[in-house]
Amino acid sequence: EAQVTQNPRYLITVTGKKLTVTCSQNMNHEYMSWYRQDPGLGLRQIYYSMNVEVTDKGDVPEGYKVSRKEKRNFPLILESPSPNQTSLYFCASSLRGDTEAFFGQGTRLTVV
Amino acid sequence: AQSVAQPEDQVNVAEGNPLTVKCTYSVSGNPYLFWYVQYPNRGLQFLLKYITGDNLVKGSYGFEAEFNKSQTSFHLKKPSALVSDSALYFCAVRDGGNDYKLSFGAGTTVTVRA
């Protein structure tokens, strides 16, 4: 089954404790992105990648890091999480820039 | 800079009535436009897109959207709404250039009453 898999689905952590949210897709897609969803703000793009070893900033990259060492994986790293990073996070992939994105099920992160 | 506006936070319609969810956009180049739907506790699902060609685009579950370049709009429509269409709808745009920046609207909650 074609899918984007994120882990974990739920995470509660403390301020400053480094964490990684994994994202993997099995569709051989070139493009991958991370978004955060906050009430009233919709989805905002954090980082995107158009190919292996190619990443670029979206609209809200501060406090986040990503890497794309393999085509299928695109982990999101929070080196020192803060409470304002409490949010619902989505990973997505697409074959090309003009094709639809496939979204993961989301990761609900709470930073206390 | 690119942006999307969904002017209505909520849309309420009776089952069987037409449904319209509004979206306007701003990009400097050619717009690639998308509609997605989100059901509770789920990820987003693709409904339809406009890249080029006919201004009227047909998509999944009986939805369609009309691209209007002069009004910079891409409204989502369904002729006869179902209770199961109740969900959160997002419009998204990217500039058809060389990057992959994608901007979403704030979302519109659709409630279809039986």
Side-chain angles (χ1 to χ4, degrees):
Chain A
E1 179 189 356
Q3 60 185 2
V4 177
T5 303
Q6 294 178 228
N7 281 297
R9 292 288 310 278
Y10 302 91
L11 179 60
I12 301 174
T13 190
V14 296
T15 299
K17 185 177 181 181
K18 180 180 178 179
L19 67 91
T20 298
V21 184
T22 64
C23 174
S24 181
Q25 51 96 2
N26 63 0
M27 295 167 280
N28 202 37
H29 284 172
E30 298 285 342
Y31 293 74
M32 297 186 76
S33 288
W34 275 103
Y35 301 88
R36 60 178 290 173
Q37 182 178 8
D38 301 290
L41 296 177
L43 277 79
R44 293 178 292 169
Q45 193 174 40
I46 302 170
Y47 270 95
Y48 63 92
S49 170
M50 296 167 69
N51 210 332
V52 174
E53 301 292 1
V54 179
T55 63
D56 211 341
K57 297 177 180 179
D59 291 327
V60 289
E62 296 78 18
Y64 305 94
K65 285 176 56 178
V66 294
S67 68
R68 187 94 181 272
K69 299 188 189 312
E70 311 163 275
K71 186 182 257 192
R72 65 182 292 127
N73 296 324
F74 191 45
L76 179 70
I77 303 158
L78 284 72
E79 295 270 5
S80 183
S82 62
N84 64 12
Q85 293 179 298
T86 292
S87 187
L88 179 58
Y89 290 86
F90 287 101
C91 179
S93 72
S94 62
L95 182 63
R96 300 188 308 268
D98 61 351
T99 58
E100 64 267 30
F102 291 78
F103 283 80
Q105 292 291 81
T107 296
R108 187 166 293 281
L109 172 66
T110 302
V111 184
V112 298
Chain B
Q2 60 194 44
S3 64
V4 175
Q6 292 182 240
E8 299 161 317
D9 292 336
Q10 292 202 344
V11 170
N12 298 304
V13 298
E15 188 172 36
N17 281 2
L19 169 63
T20 299
V21 185
K22 296 179 180 177
C23 170
T24 58
Y25 66 89
S26 174
V27 294
S28 56
N30 291 325
Y32 289 179
L33 294 153
F34 303 85
W35 275 102
Y36 290 88
V37 61
Q38 185 179 33
Y39 297 99
N41 301 313
R42 301 289 298 277
L44 277 71
Q45 298 176 29
F46 170 76
L47 283 177
L48 50 78
K49 67 180 179 182
Y50 172 83
I51 304 299
T52 187
D54 289 341
N55 290 343
L56 184 62
V57 178
K58 294 188 182 296
S60 306
Y61 312 119
F63 284 95
E64 59 188 31
E66 185 164 12
F67 170 65
N68 187 317
K69 187 173 183 177
S70 63
Q71 297 186 5
T72 62
S73 67
F74 190 55
H75 302 330
L76 181 70
K77 299 180 181 182
K78 186 170 184 179
S80 179
L82 301 172
V83 172
S84 57
D85 293 328
S86 298
L88 181 57
Y89 290 79
F90 290 101
C91 181
V93 68
R94 66 174 287 252
D95 190 327
N98 294 324
D99 65 30
Y100 190 51
K101 288 188 175 179
L102 186 63
S103 298
F104 282 80
T108 298
T109 299
V110 171
T111 302
V112 182
R113 60 185 184 277

